């Protein structure tokens, strides 16, 4: 069946934040994408994309990563070519974690955070994590296939009191 309801094809996720003051543990935030098939258990994504893990088919790419938030412009950038994902993938969840190795740190303790999801020049999501200030990690958005197989966006920040490893098992729930 053909459809005129074109879904989301390709998005760019950008993340910004400010560095920690000198002498304090670095503010290290990470973009994470998790992919799921229809029957994937929510706590076991098929694969993850982040600073240390690539997508096997190159459809989701972390173009830039930062361990400190130093410098101008976006600190982390991820591209998701959703229209290129194999049909068996039905859901992609995008989240942000704060590394906890220097001690507990929440979004409220990291200045000037901003996450944006854009398709071309259109802002789909723009948020500052203020609504999840006490959290250590957060789901930013989920992309799911509709009945026609087109990708749709589910907005809404969801915060978790979870370190990065724990978060990857929770973000699909
Ligand atoms: Ca990082």
């Amino acid at each position: 069946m053909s459809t005129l309801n074109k879904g989301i094809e390709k998005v760019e996720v950008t993340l910004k934040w400010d560095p920690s003051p000198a002498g304090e543990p670095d503010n290290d935030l990470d973009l994470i994408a998790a992919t799921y098939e229809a029957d994937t258990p929510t706590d076991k994504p098929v694969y993850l994309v982040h600073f240390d893990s690539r997508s096997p088919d190159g459809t989701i790419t972390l173009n830039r990563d930062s361990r400190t938030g130093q410098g101008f412009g976006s600190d982390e950038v991820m591209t998701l070519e959703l229209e290129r994902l194999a049909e068996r993938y039905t859901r992609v969840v995008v989240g942000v974690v704060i590394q906890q190795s220097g001690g507990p740190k929440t979004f409220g303790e990291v200045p000037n955070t901003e996450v944006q999801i854009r398709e071309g020049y259109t802002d789909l999501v723009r948020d500052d994590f203020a609504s999840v200030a006490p959290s250590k990690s957060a789901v930013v958005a989920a992309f799911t296939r509709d009945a026609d197989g087109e990708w749709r966006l589910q907005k809404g920040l969801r915060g978790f009191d979870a370190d990065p490893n724990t978060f990857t098992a929770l973000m699909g729930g």
Side-chain angles (χ1 to χ4, degrees):
M1 194 181 80
S2 68
T3 176
L4 287 171
N5 299 325
K6 208 161 121 184
I8 296 169
E9 298 186 338
K10 179 179 177 179
V11 296
E12 184 182 69
V13 185
T14 58
L15 178 66
K16 295 179 193 177
W17 70 93
D18 280 0
S20 61
E24 291 186 21
D26 285 334
N27 292 336
D28 185 1
L29 277 59
D30 295 315
L31 279 173
I32 299 185
T35 60
Y36 306 85
E37 297 174 12
D39 56 357
T40 306
T42 58
D43 62 341
K44 290 192 176 62
V46 180
Y47 66 83
L48 296 167
V49 179
H50 55 74
F51 65 94
D52 203 25
S53 176
R54 293 162 182 267
S55 73
D57 55 9
T59 54
I60 303 174
T61 312
L62 186 69
N63 310 96
R64 191 181 304 168
D65 76 317
S66 167
R67 289 168 165 267
T68 61
Q70 271 161 1
F72 294 103
S74 301
D75 296 299
E76 301 226 348
V77 179
M78 183 181 276
T79 307
L80 295 90
E81 296 178 74
L82 296 167
E83 88 281 8
R84 288 184 54 223
L85 260 75
E87 269 181 35
R88 64 179 185 278
Y89 295 109
T90 54
R91 199 154 64 102
V92 179
V93 179
V94 175
V96 173
V97 299
I98 306 172
Q99 290 292 328
Q100 302 293 321
S101 52
K105 195 173 278 189
T106 63
F107 287 107
E109 297 169 87
V110 180
N112 295 316
T113 50
E114 185 187 69
V115 66
Q116 245 180 315
I117 301 180
R118 261 180 290 191
E119 183 174 37
Y121 294 105
T122 306
D123 271 351
L124 302 177
V125 170
R126 188 174 194 155
D127 208 299
D128 61 5
F129 297 96
S131 63
V132 295
S135 300
K136 296 171 182 159
S137 48
V139 165
V140 174
F143 298 92
T144 54
R145 286 196 197 269
D146 67 15
D148 293 322
E150 300 287 334
W151 289 100
R152 303 292 168 196
L153 171 66
Q154 289 180 309
K155 298 185 197 185
L157 231 56
R158 276 192 298 138
F160 295 86
D161 181 29
D163 70 13
N165 276 330
T166 312
F167 175 70
T168 60
L170 298 172
M171 63 191 292

